[in-house]
Amino acid sequence: MSVQVENLEKNMAKLTIEVPAEEVTKAIQGAYQKNKNRFNVPGFRRGKVPQKMIEKMYGVGIFYEDAVNALIPGAYEKAAGESGLEIVSRPEIDVTQIEAGKPMIFTAEVAVKPEVTLGEYKGIEAERQEVIVTDDDVMEEIKKEQEKNAAIVAVEGRAVQKDDTAVIDFEGFCDGVAFEGGKGIDFPLVIGSGQFIPGFEDQLIGKNVGEEVEVNVTFPTPYQAKELEGKEAVFKVTVKELKAKELPEIDDEFASEVSEFETLEEYKKSVADKLREQKEADAKRTKEDEVVSKAVENATMEIPDAMIKTQASNMVNEFAQRMQGQGLTMEQYMQYTGTTREQMEEQMEGQAKKRIEVRLTLEAIAKAEDIQVSDEELDKEVEEMAKAYKMEVDQLKKFMGDAEVQQMKTDLAVQKAVDLIVAEAKEV
């Protein structure tokens, strides 16, 4: 196999890859073996039709597509390694020659890692982050805990109010005809939660248990059910039950029930300490973001479009994994939102470009400062990762190849670069 490299504009390159004729012949034979049972020729048992006869009947190129698909992945991977390029995008493949008895020739157009010219990254001015925890902040957190521990009790003798839970039966009609998905029985609706169409919940305020209500609404645009977008509807609603939150008193007893402390004062101090830790962590992240952002602004680089598109595609894959963790497939998400994968990738390109700029700038700083990662630092990171995955360290190491280890070292060097420029920053 041979590979030729042509450098193109805007950090792009073209690899011209030639696969020897004997490998092409083997791949075509492999494609024949894979597909021979598909062909039914009179006088031959299924799977026994000679390769030459199939090629004569269906064309000499009948097996070329499968042969190409079998050859390209391995040939490209080998060529990419031999090229010496630091490739940062998926390849755009174009087959220029495929013929039995001849080498296969194809090109792969790829983006290569851009060079970064650093500007000022030491002594960057950053806004001073004040960390203040007030009594109001503490009480706000305690009230959240109070809400979590509220009891839901039946309400009698009054009408529906905001924040009540109204248990309702409902059925919706458009032009006097019931529509699919517009009916519910014993549905617990929190008034003011925004669960239903805008205006629906407001029209239940002031109604009493047992009362039948006609709720008039207009479906918003856009709406998940396309056939209902912008249409006027009438819901026939019956209020069957009314429930409300009963909040516990904020006192020593409450403190002892929701925490490890016996008194409210001790609980308040604990809440204040945790809030301070959170705010200090937030302030640290804010400062890091500001300093890194300015370092990126001061650097120059030319990022190829193919690199941005690849990053955006990777980000959509990450999003899909998060959705899957919540029990939702990408197909379901796209159906609910009315978007396509292509639209999602396009929407993420701006964020993808920023992520690339940050990473390249920090890698360049790590290189400029000759930041090294010790074996001890690497081992510590592996231990932390093993804890996160609830695995033994040795077990995790078995899954880590040289590429994973190198990636981890790069990640640690990048974080050390962040720490360095933040430490050198000037607070104003």
Side-chain angles (χ1 to χ4, degrees):
M1 191 193 77
S2 66
V3 56
Q4 295 179 342
V5 178
E6 179 186 358
N7 292 318
L8 306 175
E9 293 181 344
K10 296 182 178 180
N11 291 306
M12 297 294 291
K14 181 190 284 186
L15 309 182
T16 301
I17 302 158
E18 184 174 311
V19 180
E22 55 269 25
E23 291 186 33
V24 177
T25 299
K26 286 181 183 178
I28 293 172
Q29 290 171 348
Y32 160 70
Q33 293 295 332
K34 175 184 173 184
N35 293 286
K36 62 183 181 180
N37 289 328
R38 292 173 40 222
F39 299 95
N40 188 14
V41 177
F44 293 92
R45 285 182 295 152
R46 188 177 292 277
K48 298 298 181 181
V49 186
Q51 180 179 337
K52 293 295 183 184
M53 182 169 288
I54 295 173
E55 292 174 339
K56 185 176 181 180
M57 292 179 66
Y58 294 95
V60 70
I62 183 67
F63 299 118
Y64 285 178
E65 183 177 352
D66 280 348
V68 165
N69 291 338
L71 287 169
I72 283 178
Y76 169 73
E77 185 177 357
K78 185 177 180 182
E82 290 179 3
S83 71
L85 300 174
E86 195 165 356
I87 295 171
V88 291
S89 74
R90 296 185 178 91
E92 289 286 338
I93 301 292
D94 182 30
V95 178
T96 58
Q97 178 174 295
I98 173 67
E99 187 177 341
K102 293 184 179 181
M104 181 181 82
I105 301 173
F106 69 97
T107 62
E109 196 165 311
V110 295
V112 296
K113 187 175 180 179
E115 290 291 328
V116 177
T117 302
L118 291 171
E120 181 184 35
Y121 61 88
K122 289 183 178 179
I124 290 174
E125 292 186 350
E127 186 177 347
R128 185 183 300 277
Q129 300 295 320
E130 298 290 344
V131 176
I132 300 171
V133 177
T134 67
D135 291 342
D136 288 343
D137 293 334
V138 173
M139 282 308 300
E140 186 178 340
E141 288 300 306
I142 291 175
K143 284 178 180 177
K144 289 179 185 177
E145 197 64 37
Q146 183 190 32
E147 286 281 342
K148 291 179 188 176
N149 288 271
I152 305 297
V153 297
V155 174
E156 296 179 357
R158 70 164 174 81
V160 177
Q161 297 178 359
K162 188 176 180 297
D163 298 326
D164 284 346
T165 297
V167 180
I168 61 173
D169 291 347
F170 63 88
E171 186 170 15
F173 300 83
C174 282
D175 299 324
V177 179
F179 54 85
E180 186 178 354
K183 186 174 183 178
I185 303 293
D186 292 334
F187 188 91
L189 177 62
V190 178
I191 306 301
S193 63
Q195 287 177 274
F196 276 27
I197 304 162
F200 186 103
E201 295 164 21
D202 291 341
Q203 293 178 54
L204 296 183
I205 294 174
K207 307 305 179 185
N208 295 294
V209 173
E211 192 171 348
E212 294 182 0
V213 187
E214 282 197 355
V215 173
N216 296 279
V217 294
T218 301
F219 283 96
T221 301
Y223 189 66
Q224 59 191 24
K226 299 293 184 183
E227 68 277 8
L228 296 175
E229 284 186 356
K231 285 194 172 183
E232 294 183 353
V234 176
F235 282 85
K236 293 183 179 179
V237 183
T238 301
V239 181
K240 298 176 72 176
E241 295 179 60
L242 190 58
K243 300 177 181 180
K245 288 181 181 178
E246 189 174 82
L247 298 173
E249 290 291 328
I250 297 177
D251 52 20
D252 290 344
E253 183 179 354
F254 170 76
S256 66
E257 289 176 353
V258 301
S259 74
E260 59 188 290
F261 304 100
E262 294 300 319
T263 68
L264 181 59
E265 287 306 310
E266 290 176 308
Y267 177 46
K268 283 183 176 180
K269 183 180 182 305
S270 171
V271 171
D273 290 343
K274 287 178 182 177
L275 278 175
R276 189 169 291 104
E277 287 179 11
Q278 291 171 6
K279 289 195 173 189
E280 286 172 351
D282 291 343
K284 182 175 182 289
R285 281 192 296 271
T286 300
K287 183 177 179 180
E288 284 182 358
D289 290 345
E290 183 180 359
V291 172
V292 169
S293 179
K294 288 182 178 178
V296 171
E297 287 176 11
N298 295 338
T300 55
M301 66 200 85
E302 187 174 29
I303 302 174
D305 290 341
M307 185 179 186
I308 296 172
K309 291 183 183 299
T310 298
Q311 179 66 51
S313 178
N314 292 339
M315 289 166 67
V316 172
N317 290 339
E318 292 169 8
F319 178 79
Q321 289 178 346
R322 292 196 298 272
M323 288 292 99
Q324 192 171 5
Q326 297 173 20
L328 190 68
T329 66
M330 271 295 283
E331 289 73 21
Q332 290 170 324
Y333 175 82
M334 290 188 290
Q335 183 179 359
Y336 294 154
T337 58
T339 57
T340 64
R341 182 181 175 94
E342 291 73 21
Q343 288 171 330
M344 291 179 68
E345 289 182 4
E346 188 175 341
Q347 290 166 2
M348 287 188 176
E349 284 184 7
Q351 187 180 347
K353 184 172 184 286
K354 288 180 181 179
R355 186 181 288 191
I356 292 167
E357 289 172 339
V358 168
R359 181 73 180 197
L360 291 178
T361 301
L362 292 173
E363 286 182 2
I365 292 171
K367 183 177 179 181
E369 294 292 329
D370 193 25
I371 292 175
Q372 302 295 323
V373 175
S374 67
D375 291 340
E376 291 77 11
E377 289 170 324
L378 184 62
D379 288 342
K380 184 179 178 182
E381 184 67 14
V382 173
E383 287 175 12
E384 292 296 324
M385 189 178 293
K387 286 180 185 176
Y389 287 113
K390 297 180 180 178
M391 297 172 64
E392 295 294 330
V393 172
D394 292 341
Q395 184 183 10
L396 178 59
K397 284 183 176 179
K398 289 179 182 178
F399 291 102
M400 294 173 58
D402 292 341
E404 287 77 16
V405 171
Q406 185 54 51
Q407 183 63 51
M408 191 176 291
K409 281 188 173 181
T410 303
D411 291 344
L412 289 170
V414 162
Q415 184 54 52
K416 291 174 81 169
V418 173
D419 295 340
L420 182 149
I421 63 176
V422 169
E424 295 279 348
K426 299 174 183 176
E427 289 191 338
V428 293

